[in-house]
Amino acid sequence: MEQNILDCVIVGSGPSGFTAAIYAARADLKPELYTGLEPGGQLTTTTEVDNFPGYPAGITGPEMMMDLQKQAERFDTKVHYELITKAEFSHEIGGVHKLYAGNKEIFAKTVIISTGATAKYLGLDDEKKYAGGGVSACATCDGFFYKGKDVVVVGAGDTAAEEATYLAKLCRKVTMLVRKDVFRASKAMIHRVENTPNIEVKFHHELIGIEGANNLVEKAVMINNQTQEKSTVDVEGIFIAIGHKPNTDVFVGQVDLDENGYIITEKGSTKTNLPGVFAAGDVQDHIYRQAITAAGSGCMAAMDAEKYLAELE
Ligand SMILES: Cc1cc2nc3c(=O)[nH]c(=O)nc-3n(C[C@H](O)[C@H](O)[C@H](O)COP(=O)(O)OP(=O)(O)OC[C@H]3O[C@@H](n4cnc5c(N)ncnc54)[C@H](O)[C@@H]3O)c2cc1C
């Protein structure tokens, strides 16, 4: 049977995937997009998105992602509600890349990987109960909602230190819960935390529960893991800053990843180490992690794919 070789396959349906689809479709690459298990991506798990340009009154995450999908489909992007389970990438310029969705084989001249990253949580039932009601994994996204209020940040690494210092500018008081007796953050970040008067660091403390009313956070419940003493602190927001996991398991051994599993792209482009394979969004960005930056790099990936195909001719 003759192989149907597509010009462009996009893996992932977050802001980067759908933006790549809009640009690829308008460049006549007839993209086919695989949504994975979370159609619409991370933003479908949040309520208000207040910082995406073009929505003066804000918009909910699910609505915004439906708008992006509709825009991609307006230009005939074919959307498959399937998960890519395996990849076999070519190392040749002009080679054909192979993807699998279960038993289904997909052949493509270019692949845009936009599988995002997943914020890590502690695994407490209360985190789910109060998601959208005070529990967040992104200070840049949600810090504004806690202006003048008290919040907790959980974590000891650079992300936690950055989130705490960012929130300290907006919030009345930030309490940081650090499991051990030391930070894992860089010296520079520790210095910034220590020199911010409205951050209180509680070493040897772990978050063990959340109390509230009407699904809104009112108290963080913590334990001192040295003395086993339990206590609470009155807060309206709890930021879990214990890291992210890039969704790259299916690409291990196929494309170059950094030590944390993020796809490595060439500086200033979305090119990976393989010709015709591009990466966009949070899967290759552990710094900015915003919808707008993901969308921006999705646009870049489609343009890089289009240029690559044009150069093959
Ligand atoms: C609770 C929350 C609130 C946030 N609020 C904001 C905000 O207010 N403003 C803001 O700018 N940012 C916000 N962010 C961050 C923002 O959501 C991300 O930066 C953005 O979604 C990243 O987009 P992405 O396209 O890289 O990937 P994601 O949105 O992570 O999407 C990844 C996609 O890849 C798919 N996928 C994964 N593996 C596979 C596979 N094997 N096969 C096929 N598909 C696959 C998934 O199903 C998903 O569709 C928030 C994040 C969270 C978690």
Side-chain angles (χ1 to χ4, degrees), residues 12-13 15-16 35-36 38 42-43 51 84 115 141 281-282 289-291:
S13 54
S16 63
T35 64
E38 193 175 50
Q42 292 175 59
L43 283 183
N51 54 8
I84 295 300
T115 47
C141 312
D282 287 11
R289 289 197 294 251
Q290 292 296 293

Side-chain angles (χ1 to χ4, degrees), residues 94-135:
V96 175
H97 305 293
K98 196 169 171 185
L99 297 166
Y100 296 79
N103 290 331
K104 176 175 156 187
E105 296 180 346
I106 304 143
F107 300 94
K109 291 182 199 163
T110 67
V111 175
I112 296 176
I113 303 174
S114 49
T115 47
T118 308
K120 291 184 195 162
Y121 287 89
L122 300 166
L124 303 173
D125 287 342
D126 285 344
E127 284 171 319
K128 289 191 198 115
K129 184 173 170 190
Y130 293 98
V135 174

